[in-house]
Structure formats: C-alpha cells, structure tokens
C-alpha cells in the first residue's frame, strides 16, 4: 500500500529535481490514470462466499460420501449374502453332482453286470438251442433211417409213413426256422407215400394167427369119431330121408343108420382119398397139427419179410396138409381153406417209392451249422 500511495507523488516531481539540476528533454505525456482498486470489503465477502461455498460443497460431499458408504455397505452386504447363497447353492450342486456321479457309476456298474449276465444267458441259450436242435436232428435222423430201411427191406409203406409223420411232428415241435427246408422235403415224401399202393400186412398176419390158433380144434380124418358137418350127433329124425342127389353108398348108409336106430354108430362108411390118413396114431396126429401150425407161422414170417415166394410155398404146403389129413367138411376148416386161398392170391411185391431226398436232407441239416 505504501508503494502505491507514493507513486503519484514521485510522478509529479519536476524534471529538474529528479535529474539533479540538469535540464532534460521534454517527457512524454503521462498515461491515463488507473481505475481505483476494489475495496477491501468486497474481497472479504468474496472470500467468505467462497468459503461458504466450499463448506457447503464439503458438507454435501460428506453427506454424499456417507450415503455412498451406506449404499456401498448395503450392496456389499447383499453381495456377501448373495455370495453365501451362491456358495451354498454351489455346495448343494456339488453334492448333488457327486451323488449323481456315484449313482451314474453304480448304474454303469449294474448295466455292465446285467450286460454280462445277458451275454451269458444268450450264450447259454445258444448252447441249449444247439444242443436241443442236435437232439432233434438225431431223433429225426433215426426215424428217417428207419423209414428208409422199412421201404428198402420189407416195403412196408405204412410203417415208413408213420415214421416220417413222427419226424415231421418232432420238427414242428422244435419250432426252428432252420428246419423249414427239411420239413418241406419230408412233406413231399409223405405225400408220395400216401399215394403209394399199400398191403394190409398186419391184417394178413392176424388172419394167419387166427387160423393157427384154431388148428387144435379141427377134426382129423383119422379121428375115431368124426362129427357130422352140422356139428350135432344125434338120432336121425323122420324127415332125414336120403336125397336122390346123394351117391348110392351115402343113401345106403343113411337108410342103414335109420334101420339100426341107437346102434347106427357101429357102422360108419367114409370115402377117403388118402388111405394113409386113417392110420395116424394120436402122437402122429399131434405132430401133424404142429406141422400145420409151423407152416402157417413160417408163412407169417415170410409175409412180414415180404418174401413172396416163400410165403406162397408155405401156404400151399399148409393147404395140402389140411386137405389130406383134416376133415374139410367142417365149416371152420372150409373157412380156413378159403382164407388161405385168398391170402395166397395176394401179391406182396409192389413198387414202393423211396425217400432218398429226406435222407439226404437230414444229413445236410446235421452237417450245416446253424443256430
């Protein structure tokens, strides 16, 4: 302030005094006067105002800072709670994940065990299936071989047909697609055998057995007392008169028996073509019956073997023995002779089809592997 107040006085001093008595050249004109400086009070008020503004700003900043701290603390608390919840959720998720992994591992172990058991069961089933199929094929092979032997040796179509039908039924029970070609071949052979001519071998053998059974009851020519053809021996009735169609000796015999009455059996006349038949003793009669039975049984054996020549020869020999030594006037003997004659006229040798296709198909099925 002192310097400012002395400045105008110095500026108004005369030039001579300022230069020490020497005359100086003329000075330039003085500059225009400056504006008076602001008063001291304005500066103070300005400073106070600035201080108030600064204080207000500081107070506002402090308040805002407090609010910011509170908001930050609140948000930090929320973040901490959220972090805690997230941590708990993560822990639960981790626990659930571990449990899920354990369950998955357990399930995988069980699946592996079940898969191994299933493979073992499939292998066992395959082994059983192969064993069952092999057993079926062995049985079918035996049946087809038996049918082929029956056709080749004895020509028995009925037995061969029954064997093939049994084999086809066994294959049907197996219910396997592997056996379908074999079943088709067997079905064709079955149809061929059904159309083939057949001979009732069993019926013919039964007839021979019946005839052989009745041989012991047949009356022989050499018997001491031969029954009448009617099978009844008794006194003649008044109506039993000799017929004109009878030979003279039979008419004479009937007339003589009617005259003798109860003594009519003392005289008996018979016409015998072979006189030696009357001379058979009881042991010889038994041997004769056994000989007739033997011929019938050998004929039956030849029938079962389909030996046509031996069958006819035995039947002819049996008929000759019956005609020579047995009373053929009896109905049972006459019926037996008629049956033997009918059997002798039956042909045993017929052309029967063979089943080579079935035999080959069975062999191919047994050698071809398959499930």
């Amino acid at each position: 302030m002192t310097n400012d107040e002395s400045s105008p006085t110095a500026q108004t001093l005369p030039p001579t005094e300022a230069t020490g008595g020497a005359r100086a050249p003329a000075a330039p004109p003085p500059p225009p006067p400056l504006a008076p400086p602001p008063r001291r009070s304005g500066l103070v008020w300005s400073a106070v105002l600035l201080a108030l503004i600064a204080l207000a700003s500081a107070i506002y900043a402090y308040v805002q800072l407090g609010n910011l701290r509170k908001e930050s603390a609140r948000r930090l608390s929320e973040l901490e709670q959220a972090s805690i919840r997230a941590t708990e959720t993560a822990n639960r998720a981790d626990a659930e994940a571990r449990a899920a992994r354990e369950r998955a591992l357990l399930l995988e172990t069980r699946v592996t065990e079940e898969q191994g058991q299933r493979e073992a069961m499939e292998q066992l089933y395959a082994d059983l299936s192969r064993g069952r199929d092999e057993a079926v094929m062995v049985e079918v092979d035996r049946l087809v071989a038996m049918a082929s032997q029956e056709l080749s040796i004895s020509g028995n179509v009925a037995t061969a047909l029954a064997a093939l039908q049994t084999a086809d039924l066994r294959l049907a029970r197996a219910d396997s697609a592997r056996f379908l070609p074999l079943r088709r071949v067997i079905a064709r052979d079955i149809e061929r055998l059904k159309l083939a001519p057949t001979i009732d071998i069993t019926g013919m053998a039964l007839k021979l057995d019946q005839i052989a059974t009745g041989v012991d009851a047949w009356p022989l020519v050499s018997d001491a007392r031969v029954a009448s053809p009617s099978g009844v021996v008794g006194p003649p009735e008044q109506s039993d008169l000799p017929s004109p169609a009878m030979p003279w000796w039979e008419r004479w015999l009937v007339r003589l028996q009617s005259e003798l009455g109860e003594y009519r059996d003392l005289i008996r006349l018979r016409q015998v073509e072979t006189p030696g038949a009357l001379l058979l003793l009881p042991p010889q009669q038994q041997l004769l019956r056994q000989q007739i039975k033997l011929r019938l049984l050998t004929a039956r054996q030849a029938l079962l073997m389909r030996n046509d020549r031996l069958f006819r020869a035995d039947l002819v020999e049996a008929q000759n023995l019956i005609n020579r030594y047995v009373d053929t006037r009896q109905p049972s003997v006459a019926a037996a002779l008629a049956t033997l004659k009918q059997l002798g006229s039956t042909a045993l040798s017929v052309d029967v089809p063979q089943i080579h296709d079935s035999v080959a198909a069975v062999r191919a099925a047994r050698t071809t592997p398959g499930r």
Side-chain angles (χ1 to χ4, degrees):
M1 295 294 291
T2 307
N3 295 331
D4 290 339
E5 294 178 353
S6 60
S7 295
T9 305
Q11 290 178 359
T12 60
L13 292 179
T16 57
E17 296 178 358
T19 58
R23 189 175 182 88
L34 296 175
R39 296 181 178 182
R40 185 177 180 181
S41 61
L43 295 175
V44 173
W45 284 109
S46 298
V48 171
L49 181 60
L50 290 176
L52 292 175
I53 292 173
L55 180 60
S57 299
I59 294 172
Y60 179 76
Y62 180 77
V63 172
Q64 292 296 327
L65 182 59
N67 294 334
L68 182 61
R69 287 178 178 176
K70 292 179 180 179
E71 184 68 19
S72 299
R74 184 181 63 81
R75 291 188 179 184
L76 182 60
S77 177
E78 292 178 356
L79 289 176
E80 290 178 354
Q81 293 178 1
S83 177
I84 293 172
R85 290 194 296 269
T87 303
E88 293 177 354
T89 304
N91 292 332
R92 288 196 299 270
D94 191 13
E96 292 177 357
R98 286 196 300 269
R101 286 194 298 270
E102 293 177 358
R103 288 195 298 269
L105 183 60
L106 181 60
L107 290 176
E108 184 178 358
T109 305
R110 290 183 178 178
V111 168
T112 304
E113 293 177 356
E114 291 180 358
Q115 185 176 4
Q117 292 177 359
R118 183 172 61 84
E119 292 177 356
M121 290 296 294
E122 289 180 355
Q123 183 65 29
L124 179 60
Y125 177 76
D127 295 340
L128 291 176
S129 179
R130 285 194 295 269
R132 183 188 63 180
D133 292 346
E134 185 64 24
V136 171
M137 288 306 304
V138 169
E139 184 177 357
V140 170
D141 188 9
R142 181 177 58 81
L143 291 172
V144 173
M146 182 178 66
S148 179
Q149 291 176 0
E150 287 292 333
L151 292 176
S152 301
I153 298 176
S154 61
N156 193 343
V157 178
T159 303
L161 181 60
L164 284 184
Q165 289 176 344
T166 304
D168 183 68
L169 181 60
R170 188 67 183 88
L171 292 175
R173 290 178 179 176
D175 193 15
S176 177
R178 175 190 173 191
F179 300 142
L180 291 180
L182 178 58
R183 291 192 63 192
R184 284 195 290 268
V185 176
I186 292 178
R188 287 198 300 267
D189 287 339
I190 288 175
E191 293 299 327
R192 291 173 56 195
L193 291 180
K194 287 181 178 180
L195 298 177
T198 58
I199 301 174
D200 189 10
I201 301 297
T202 304
M204 296 173 66
L206 289 176
K207 290 180 179 179
L208 290 176
D209 289 339
Q210 292 176 357
I211 294 174
T213 304
V215 170
D216 293 331
W218 289 349
L220 301 179
V221 176
S222 60
D223 289 341
R225 183 181 182 87
V226 180
S228 61
S230 60
V232 179
V233 179
E237 299 179 356
Q238 297 298 330
S239 59
D240 293 340
L241 298 176
S243 175
M246 293 182 179
W248 63 270
W249 61 271
E250 289 185 1
R251 292 198 301 271
W252 180 80
L253 178 60
V254 171
R255 190 176 295 110
L256 180 60
Q257 287 179 347
S258 61
E259 292 293 336
L260 292 176
E262 59 181 0
Y263 301 104
R264 58 192 180 90
D265 291 334
L266 295 176
I267 300 175
R268 182 174 299 170
L269 298 177
R270 287 186 297 173
Q271 183 180 2
V272 180
E273 296 179 0
T274 55
L278 298 173
L279 304 178
L280 294 178
L281 298 176
Q284 294 175 340
Q285 294 178 2
Q286 187 65 25
L287 290 177
L288 174 64
R289 296 179 189 276
Q290 294 297 330
Q291 183 68 18
I292 296 175
K293 288 182 180 181
L294 181 60
R295 289 297 180 181
L296 294 176
L297 292 178
T298 53
R300 179 178 179 274
Q301 186 69 22
L303 172 65
L304 296 178
M305 296 176 59
R306 298 300 181 93
N307 193 335
D308 198 355
R309 184 182 60 82
L310 183 60
F311 173 71
R312 296 180 187 278
D314 289 333
L315 287 184
V316 169
E317 185 65 24
Q319 293 178 38
N320 291 335
L321 291 175
I322 293 172
N323 289 324
R324 183 179 301 174
Y325 296 103
V326 181
D327 187 4
T328 57
R329 295 177 302 173
Q330 301 300 319
S332 59
V333 180
L337 285 174
T339 301
L340 293 177
K341 185 177 180 180
Q342 180 183 0
L343 294 177
S345 62
T346 303
L348 300 182
S349 299
V350 295
D351 294 332
V352 295
Q354 300 298 321
I355 56 172
H356 301 300
D357 294 340
S358 296
V359 175
V362 170
R363 292 177 181 175
R366 293 197 64 181
T367 56
T368 301
R371 292 187 62 181

